[in-house]
Amino acid sequence: MSLPTSMKALVIEGKGGPDVLQLRDVPVPAPGAGEVLIKVAAAGVNRPDVLQRQGNYPAPKGHSELPGLEVAGVVAALGNGVDRFSVGDSVLALTPGGGYAEYAAAPAVCCIRKPDTLSFTDAAAIPETFFTVWHNVFERGALKASETFLVHGGTSGIGVTAIQLAKAFGARVITTVGSDEKCAAARALGADIAINYRSQDFSEVVKAETGKRGVDVILDMVGGDYIDKNIRALADDGRLVNIAYQKGSTATIDFIRVMLKRLTITGSTLRIRSNDVKGGIARALEEKVIPLVASGQIKIPVDSTFPLARAADAHARIESSEHIGKIVLTI
């Protein structure tokens, strides 16, 4: 496959609103050792991209400063030492950055072969959310079959993934969303209980729906005053996993509840983890989850797609919080 020397890519010029995303000509990256170069067909849009655009989530040192943490496309070139893939293979990949472009480099260990049953658009909506949910809900949170799971933001990209994975592996699922329409969408994806947080106190609903026992695992990206409410909503030996803090990363809590209920409070960020860690998550997904996606048991809800040149509109859509499912850029 012959490669051009330049490509179209979204560059963050300054920091601020969606308008700082500008389409520019930049050099095509060369894949380093252990990397593949992907001719991008589609790229997922995620909240961390918004934070990076605002200047609050810089790219890790040594990685592309272009936004975009997940792509799907065709392998165009191989770096030294790559033997898992060949040029021409269709893949989906978690990238450390650079996904909003016609070509993107990604560690080969963070790539997964695209099932033939999936479009490139659907495939691009998988890596960031599936890697995040698998690691935080099943590895850090240790969710088990028959346990009760609460995920906030049930119609976000993370939420639609967490609901389906938790149900697929035998958990009872409760979620919070911001409208009655979103409640219906969450239930359609498998949520047993959907709570409209604008009209209901989720901690009170959880208490009522669990016979005052509480839930076993909570996945939270809200933070702020939700942190104390989450602790109150957990059952004995419950686990709280935080992956973002839309309402702030600080809170005042009474740790006597943590002690008396023997709670575990944990959290993680994905982008700064080593390729070994990310590769381990990728292999777990290949074995346990991708077959369920390929068969259609787990759906990939795509809210909307935008061409690369309209990335600013895609960012405005995700910031509106009106979306249900993933937002994807098509190249």
Side-chain angles (χ1 to χ4, degrees):
M1 183 180 294
S2 61
L3 296 174
T5 57
S6 67
M7 65 179 183
K8 296 293 185 183
L10 265 298
V11 174
I12 300 173
E13 296 194 345
K15 58 183 178 182
D19 59 302
V20 304
L21 293 171
Q22 296 293 319
L23 193 65
R24 296 287 185 258
D25 289 314
V26 301
V28 172
E35 293 183 335
V36 298
L37 182 68
I38 299 168
K39 181 175 173 56
V40 179
V45 177
N46 295 281
R47 290 279 180 181
D49 304 336
V50 173
L51 293 175
Q52 181 176 346
R53 188 202 75 218
Q54 294 169 338
N56 298 320
Y57 192 48
K61 187 175 181 180
H63 293 297
S64 173
E65 294 186 358
L66 300 177
L69 300 175
E70 59 183 349
V71 301
V74 176
V75 175
L78 305 174
N80 290 336
V82 175
D83 55 14
R84 297 188 68 246
F85 299 102
S86 300
V87 171
D89 287 346
S90 295
V91 297
L92 51 115
L94 186 73
T95 71
Y100 289 15
E102 292 179 315
Y103 289 86
V109 295
C110 297
C111 297
I112 295 172
R113 294 183 188 279
K114 182 184 78 66
D116 292 338
T117 52
L118 283 188
S119 68
F120 282 113
T121 298
D122 286 351
I126 290 176
E128 175 70 10
T129 53
F130 277 71
F131 275 65
T132 297
V133 170
W134 183 263
H135 178 60
N136 287 285
V137 175
F138 295 94
E139 295 180 347
R140 301 192 72 80
L143 181 67
K144 302 176 182 64
S146 79
E147 289 190 323
T148 302
F149 170 62
L150 168 63
V151 57
H152 294 298
T155 52
S156 67
I158 291 289
V160 298
T161 301
I163 288 170
Q164 293 188 88
L165 287 183
K167 285 298 293 183
F169 289 93
R172 183 189 187 205
V173 177
I174 303 174
T175 190
T176 64
V177 293
S179 71
D180 292 341
E181 176 193 7
K182 289 186 175 183
C183 283
R187 286 192 291 266
L189 288 170
D192 297 285
I193 300 163
I195 303 165
N196 183 342
Y197 66 79
R198 298 186 191 278
S199 58
Q200 298 172 288
D201 183 329
F202 79 83
S203 60
E204 293 300 320
V205 176
V206 165
K207 184 187 297 184
E209 293 288 350
T210 61
K212 298 184 178 181
R213 176 182 176 274
V215 300
D216 299 287
V217 178
I218 299 175
L219 182 65
D220 181 37
M221 63 287 289
V222 181
D225 61 358
Y226 270 43
I227 297 173
D228 186 59
K229 288 184 177 181
N230 287 332
I231 288 172
R232 292 173 181 270
L234 282 168
D236 288 353
D237 298 301
R239 290 86 74 194
L240 170 61
V241 188
N242 271 90
I243 57 171
Y245 296 96
Q246 292 178 21
K247 294 180 69 173
S249 59
T250 61
T252 299
I253 60 175
D254 185 353
F255 261 83
I256 193 67
R257 295 182 184 276
V258 177
M259 295 165 60
L260 293 176
K261 294 201 287 185
R262 303 176 301 281
L263 305 181
T264 298
I265 301 176
T266 185
S268 74
T269 59
L270 184 60
R271 193 174 189 181
I272 62 173
R273 302 301 296 277
S274 71
N275 288 337
D276 286 343
V277 169
K278 295 174 186 176
I281 300 171
R283 304 293 79 76
L285 290 174
E286 283 179 331
E287 177 186 349
K288 297 179 171 68
V289 176
I290 295 301
L292 302 180
V293 176
S295 70
Q297 181 176 338
I298 291 177
K299 309 295 184 185
I300 311 297
V302 174
D303 171 87
S304 50
T305 63
F306 296 84
L308 186 64
R310 290 182 56 203
D313 293 333
H315 274 226
R317 177 69 179 169
I318 198 170
E319 287 185 280
S320 76
S321 294
E322 294 177 357
H323 60 293
I324 297 175
K326 290 297 292 280
I327 299 168
V328 178
L329 299 176
T330 56
I331 292 86

